[in-house]
Amino acid sequence: MVTGFFIWVKQAAAILQKDIKVEFRTKYSLNSFLMFALTTLVLVSFSVGPYLLDEVVHSALIWIILFFSAMGGLARSFVKEQEKGTVYALKLSAVPETVYLGKFIYNLSLLFLVIIIVIPFYIFFLSPPVGNPGLLALVLFLGSLGLAAASTILAAIVSQANVKGNLLPVLAFPILLPLLTAAINGTRLALEGFPLGKAMAELQILISFFAIMFTVSLLLFNFVWET
Amino acid sequence: MISIELDNLTKTYNEQIIFSGVQETVSQGNCLVVSGPNGSGKTTLLKIIAGLIRPSAGEIRLTVENQLIPREKQKDYLGYVSPDLMLYDELSALENLNFFARVRGLAKEGRKAEEMLERVQLDKWKAKMVSTYSTGMKQRLKFAYALLHRPLLLLLDEPGSNLDQTGHALVKDVIEEQKQRGCVILSTNDPTEVTRYGDRILHLG
């Protein structure tokens, strides 16, 4: 049982390492991810101009930018395998669950990288008040876990459709709605400077969403991958 | 000892029958050649045997050492070369094979990858990105990928396409070696390949 788990981890690590190497050489996903996030950010910044936004609007804007950037960038992980014809080689060689695990960690790393770049820019351009930076970091971390877990399995489904790119946001939105609502509320509480205890309900939803989405995805991935 | 039985395989797309009632058994030391005109379903049949698509009806039974192998484990016993199967252009040949050896959980993966590249005569170009390879070199690399785990069943879809004379000699050697180790199912519409390799011939269409 333990040996089996370590074999899984080793194989998922090989897939992660391969994806990072390919991404480092092509910068395919990261470019589309960052370009979308930064363009949207600049656009929002120009639209808002000198007006002060309240914390609710800031929270919503942060997650709208992250959601649509993620939809553009994360779908590439599977779509690229399908379009380039490498999906067959991967299907014949890898255990399906290790593919999900490897791609999930890869997508999560991309999402973290985008957050690390985009959030400081957002704070610089739009100057939202950040009352509780620790809570903001925690909400962004937990929100990213759920966003990556859901986007990874949905990207695998979408990669088999004809209209790959446009389908992911449409499919993802209803599934991600509870996560986005909790993340937006949690971000608002962080910006308003509330302590951690006041955001427990939102944090619990984010943790539960990730736990459910990750477990269900691992259980169902075999079916999605083999179909 | 390996044996694969195709039991009444049928494939339909949008109610159009591609092939139906395919019934064949291929045993150790044999090469089954699937021939037929374009669109007769040769590639589809090989993809079904590889487990990449599902048949509309029928079953595939793979037996190794008198043990029936469950469908989800069958891919561990087969190697597949096809024009539709591509390797990573952004990685070198050696990186590609090392990656697939690692995801297959093969021991001494680095050594196995190097050996396979020597086998398909790509060792001189092992560090070059696959994107810089010619179509023929990519075809040889697909052979190295398919043989990496020493499969008992080798599925070859149009194996001679884009290969020069040395490449064709390599295909012939690979098929002869594979027949010692297990069996081969090969699809082609080249009549010379049908007669050269086929111990048995299945004509579709």
Side-chain angles (χ1 to χ4, degrees):
Chain A
M1 183 77 179
V2 175
T3 320
F5 176 75
F6 281 115
I7 290 170
W8 258 37
V9 171
K10 207 178 150 193
Q11 293 174 3
I15 291 166
L16 171 67
Q17 197 184 349
K18 182 270 294 174
D19 277 346
I20 290 174
K21 205 178 269 183
V22 169
E23 181 58 34
F24 185 74
R25 287 174 186 170
T26 59
K27 296 179 185 67
Y28 207 63
S29 297
L30 192 62
N31 276 350
S32 67
F33 220 142
L34 275 178
M35 287 295 278
F36 184 89
L38 292 175
T39 312
T40 316
L41 187 58
V42 172
L43 201 66
V44 169
S45 161
F46 275 109
S47 322
V48 170
Y51 301 107
L52 280 178
L53 302 177
D54 66 13
E55 288 81 355
V56 179
V57 180
H58 277 304
S59 319
L61 281 176
I62 287 173
W63 280 99
I64 286 171
I65 293 170
L66 290 178
F67 171 75
F68 282 106
S69 314
M71 293 304 107
L74 301 189
R76 302 301 312 163
S77 58
F78 280 105
V79 170
K80 204 168 53 186
E81 302 271 8
Q82 193 79 35
E83 284 176 351
K84 295 211 159 191
T86 51
V87 70
Y88 288 144
L90 197 56
K91 275 185 179 179
L92 287 172
S93 312
V95 176
E97 289 80 5
T98 64
V99 177
Y100 176 79
L101 207 56
K103 298 274 184 194
F104 162 72
I105 301 170
Y106 167 72
N107 282 342
L108 188 62
S109 317
L110 271 184
L111 204 48
F112 282 158
L113 197 61
V114 169
I115 286 174
I116 288 167
I117 295 168
V118 168
I119 297 300
F121 271 109
Y122 187 93
I123 294 170
F124 176 77
F125 280 120
L126 291 149
S127 316
V130 186
N132 188 343
L135 179 59
L136 178 64
L138 187 59
V139 171
L140 287 170
F141 173 74
L142 293 175
S144 307
L145 285 177
L147 194 53
S151 305
T152 305
I153 188 142
L154 290 173
I157 296 170
V158 163
S159 69
Q160 293 170 38
N162 288 330
V163 276
K164 300 172 174 65
N166 306 327
L167 201 59
L168 187 60
V170 181
L171 261 184
F173 181 67
I175 293 167
L176 287 170
L177 202 56
L179 173 103
L180 290 173
T181 313
I184 290 169
N185 273 336
T187 307
R188 178 183 59 80
L189 293 172
L191 296 181
E192 286 173 350
F194 281 98
L196 190 76
K198 286 279 180 193
M200 281 317 281
E202 282 74 16
L203 295 177
Q204 279 169 357
I205 293 173
L206 293 177
I207 293 168
S208 311
F209 183 92
F210 166 65
I212 293 167
M213 192 50 74
F214 185 75
T215 314
V216 169
S217 299
L218 264 185
L219 292 173
L220 292 181
F221 191 75
N222 190 12
F223 178 75
V224 172
W225 187 238
E226 302 288 346
T227 303
Chain B
M1 289 290 277
I2 182 171
S3 156
I4 182 160
E5 187 188 348
L6 316 180
D7 184 9
N8 209 17
L9 284 183
T10 299
K11 185 67 187 173
T12 55
Y13 277 122
N14 299 327
E15 294 174 20
Q16 189 200 340
I17 298 168
I18 308 297
F19 53 77
S20 68
V22 172
Q23 194 89 38
E24 275 293 338
T25 303
V26 190
S27 311
Q28 179 88 21
N30 277 315
C31 178
L32 172 73
V33 173
V34 183
S35 73
N38 294 337
S40 57
K42 302 187 294 295
T43 298
T44 306
L45 178 64
L46 259 68
K47 279 185 183 169
I48 289 173
I49 298 169
L52 293 169
I53 51 178
R54 290 182 184 181
S56 307
E59 236 187 302
I60 295 165
R61 282 187 280 274
L62 181 72
T63 314
V64 176
E65 306 297 345
N66 296 323
Q67 291 251 310
L68 191 65
I69 307 297
R71 189 78 176 125
E72 65 277 8
K73 294 274 177 205
Q74 287 181 6
K75 66 180 182 182
D76 295 345
Y77 296 89
L78 63 91
Y80 181 55
V81 176
S82 162
D84 293 342
L85 179 148
M86 305 301 283
L87 300 176
Y88 295 97
D89 273 348
E90 305 84 355
L91 302 180
S92 70
L94 187 59
E95 285 172 334
N96 262 292
L97 295 192
N98 274 334
F99 165 66
F100 287 109
R102 279 182 74 193
V103 293
R104 278 196 182 273
L106 302 181
K108 296 180 187 164
E109 65 251 29
R111 186 69 222 124
K112 284 205 170 113
E114 299 252 11
E115 273 171 19
M116 249 343 119
L117 287 170
E118 278 168 34
R119 177 73 192 85
V120 298
Q121 296 150 21
L122 283 177
D123 45 324
K124 275 191 230 162
W125 297 276
K126 66 181 178 188
K128 293 260 184 211
M129 291 297 131
V130 173
S131 56
T132 65
Y133 276 26
S134 69
T135 324
M137 288 163 86
K138 284 183 182 172
Q139 181 73 352
R140 284 166 188 249
L141 184 59
K142 287 180 194 178
F143 271 93
Y145 156 79
L147 296 169
L148 191 61
H149 55 297
R150 298 178 61 79
L152 293 177
L153 169 64
L154 189 58
L155 302 173
L156 304 174
D157 188 4
E158 309 282 355
S161 58
N162 302 305
L163 288 177
D164 55 15
Q165 275 200 328
T166 343
H168 281 287
L170 174 77
V171 175
K172 190 171 179 288
D173 287 351
V174 165
I175 291 173
E176 289 308 320
E177 276 171 32
Q178 181 63 31
K179 282 162 74 173
Q180 306 290 315
R181 184 169 57 226
C183 57
V184 183
I185 301 179
L186 180 153
S187 98
T188 184
N189 47 22
D190 178 351
T192 53
E193 283 186 344
V194 175
T195 47
R196 188 185 299 160
Y197 304 127
D199 299 311
R200 297 172 59 185
I201 297 159
L202 168 67
H203 191 80
L204 294 178

